[in-house]
Amino acid sequence: MDTTLMDRLRPIGFTPTVAQAMGLLRASGDASGAPMRLIEVHRETVHVTDGTYEHVARPLPGLLRSLADTGDALTVGDWVSVQQDAHATLWVQQRMTPFTQIVRRNSSGARQPLVTNVDSAMLVMGLDGDFNLRRLERYLAMVKPAGIWPIVILTKRDLCNDVDAQLDALRERLPRDSVVHAVDARAAVTAIELAPYIGAGQTTVVLGSSGAGKSTLTNTLLGVQVQDTGAVREDDSRGRHTTTSRSLHRLPAGGCVIDTPGLRGLRPDIDESDLAATFDDIQSLAEHCRFRDCGHHDEPGCAVRGGVAPDRLINYQKLLREIRRETLTPLQRREQLSMWKIRHRTAEHRMKMKRGEN
Ligand SMILES: Nc1nc2c(ncn2[C@@H]2O[C@H](COP(=O)(O)OP(=O)(O)OP(=O)(O)O)[C@@H](O)[C@H]2O)c(=O)[nH]1
Ligand SMILES: [Mg+2]
Ligand SMILES: [Zn+2]
């Protein structure tokens, strides 16, 4: 690969490893397209950058089909090979298997990749009514198992008069090695504070609920107002879903940031061992429980209860139940449903007995 091409692509995250993977990819097919990075996904087209210019391209239907077969899709952050046909239409021919990928489950349970090839994720949470440790743990459970470095960014520091109390609550709750910054997302100095996390050629993604300040932070990192921002509701600090699609932007220092819409009802696409790795404090305490299969509910000799914040344990158990429910076979699901029905009926019966209706 020639050096001018390398120089052009490096600021958008092209590394020797990507170069090698792209080279292998192109050698494996009959394609000889140019390596580009996907910056926006639309219904029929995608926007890509070649390091200098942005282009609109169309994905080959065969590529979309083969991705869909494995619950995958073209995603912002992807490296793709793009070729022009005789009519000057650009076609996305192939996609490099992502080095990292953040995936959630949508409301119908299907896998939905959010972003790919990111090095770090800025988990953005407001120090206002948005502050919610259970939600933050959910984000961590989605990001950490993907091999992505989480950075907790607490915005609206300027609006909060008990920052220290919130920080203490967070430190007590999260693993000791968590990286946390409390910032005013609008302030230029915040870009300087966070610069070490997005070196040249690295990509970060901002994640968090609507109104948390993801687009505000994106603009501050960029040094220009590119993304629209919107006021939050006063009563509950909720945003109005101002950002509606994911987009990748180049930073002046040579990294990239991906802005995303606020996620509702986040379900991470992870398995039990991923969850255990995210809640490794619970995992290591569990080794000292009297019973090997201790559920840390009310079993005697439990080493976990009392060892971690009670609400953290509740959240872990909730996530575990969700994951187990998702991995149930249809038969197991039916069995569980009928068990619930029986429980419900028994409870109803008991209520009637109490009311003397029997
Ligand atoms: N005072 C103050 N306001 C902030 C801060 N961060 C964000 N805001 C404001 O909060 C509101 C929501 O910010 P956005 O950046 O639009 O939030 P978002 O996370 O992008 O929201 P969606 O696009 O809806 O997902 C805007 O009015 C911002 O100006 C902060 O650190 N301090
Ligand atoms: Mg936004
Ligand atoms: Zn236990």
Side-chain angles (χ1 to χ4, degrees):
M1 194 163 284
D2 64 271
T3 49
T4 47
L5 184 62
M6 280 293 288
D7 287 342
R8 210 176 67 206
L9 294 171
R10 199 174 291 127
I12 53 167
F14 205 67
T15 59
T17 332
V18 175
Q20 198 185 11
M22 288 298 288
L24 289 174
L25 181 69
R26 285 185 295 155
S28 73
D30 46 15
S32 57
M36 295 196 198
R37 195 154 189 208
L38 217 144
I39 57 180
E40 282 173 39
V41 177
H42 297 269
R43 200 179 290 272
E44 309 251 298
T45 58
V46 296
H47 290 204
V48 288
T49 173
D50 62 11
T52 311
Y53 299 109
E54 291 183 17
H55 310 275
V56 178
R58 301 178 68 86
L60 283 182
L63 173 64
L64 292 182
R65 265 198 308 275
S66 69
L67 289 173
D69 284 347
T70 54
D72 210 339
L74 283 179
T75 310
V76 172
D78 274 345
W79 282 100
V80 290
S81 90
V82 177
Q83 195 158 42
Q84 199 169 24
D85 69 12
H87 310 285
T89 303
L90 291 174
W91 291 96
V92 176
Q93 297 183 307
Q94 288 174 299
R95 185 206 58 171
M96 183 193 84
T97 303
F99 289 129
T100 61
Q101 187 177 40
I102 300 182
V103 184
R104 71 147 170 181
R105 298 243 173 198
N106 67 18
S107 49
S108 51
R111 276 182 101 244
Q112 186 191 14
L114 298 177
V115 290
T116 58
N117 303 311
V118 297
D119 303 279
S120 62
M122 300 200 166
L123 308 182
V124 182
M125 187 164 83
L127 281 161
D128 52 3
D130 186 47
F131 191 83
N132 181 321
L133 293 172
R134 282 197 192 183
R135 184 172 355 96
L136 181 60
E137 282 170 336
R138 217 166 245 276
Y139 275 100
L140 286 166
M142 180 170 71
V143 163
K144 273 184 155 181
I148 293 159
W149 190 18
I151 305 152
V152 178
I153 311 284
L154 303 173
T155 56
K156 311 192 187 185
R157 172 180 199 134
D158 53 293
L159 297 179
C160 177
N161 36 31
D162 56 353
V163 177
D164 288 338
Q166 310 261 69
L167 277 174
D168 285 346
L170 196 139
R171 293 231 166 81
E172 241 169 66
R173 172 100 172 212
L174 292 188
R176 247 182 284 278
D177 57 356
S178 308
V179 178
V180 183
H181 288 261
V183 301
D184 175 349
R186 304 160 308 163
V189 57
T190 298
I192 300 168
E193 182 176 336
L194 301 180
Y197 300 113
I198 335 155
Q202 291 191 319
T203 305
T204 195
V205 57
V206 291
L207 295 171
S209 36
S210 177
K214 300 178 298 297
S215 301
T216 306
L217 185 66
T218 300
N219 288 337
T220 297
L221 294 173
L222 291 168
V224 276
Q225 306 292 309
V226 172
Q227 292 292 89
D228 285 340
T229 60
V232 300
R233 291 200 306 227
E234 245 173 54
D235 50 346
D236 58 5
S237 312
R238 290 238 179 127
R240 298 184 164 94
H241 293 275
T242 308
T243 309
T244 52
S245 62
R246 296 176 275 278
S247 57
L248 183 144
H249 307 267
R250 286 177 62 166
L251 295 168
C256 295
V257 58
I258 300 176
D259 190 13
T260 66
L263 295 173
R264 299 171 230 231
L266 175 67
R267 281 206 276 166
D269 179 45
I270 53 169
D271 61 22
E272 278 191 51
S273 64
D274 290 334
L275 186 72
T278 309
F279 287 82
D280 53 351
D281 48 345
I282 293 184
Q283 238 25 56
S284 34
L285 285 170
E287 284 167 22
H288 304 287
C289 291
R290 186 180 305 161
F291 302 112
R292 282 211 67 137
D293 61 349
C294 183
H296 325 305
H297 294 285
D298 44 19
E299 297 89 339
C302 174
V304 173
R305 280 191 330 266
V308 294
D311 196 57
R312 180 168 167 83
L313 180 57
I314 291 172
N315 200 24
Y316 167 78
Q317 285 163 334
K318 188 157 179 268
L319 281 158
L320 190 61
R321 276 199 303 276
E322 275 176 34
I323 291 169
R324 288 186 174 158
R325 204 179 305 137
E326 234 137 57
T327 50
L328 291 182
T329 62
L331 179 66
Q332 287 170 321
R333 216 180 285 266
R334 270 200 301 278
E335 281 172 356
Q336 198 177 60
L337 197 68
S338 53
M339 188 187 75
W340 281 333
K341 276 188 188 152
I342 292 169
R343 271 196 200 163
H344 181 70
R345 250 180 262 139
T346 324
E348 247 182 8
H349 181 68
R350 227 181 280 134
M351 287 299 288
K352 277 187 185 163
M353 296 276 280
K354 252 193 193 162
R355 290 198 297 260
E357 285 175 23
N358 238 14

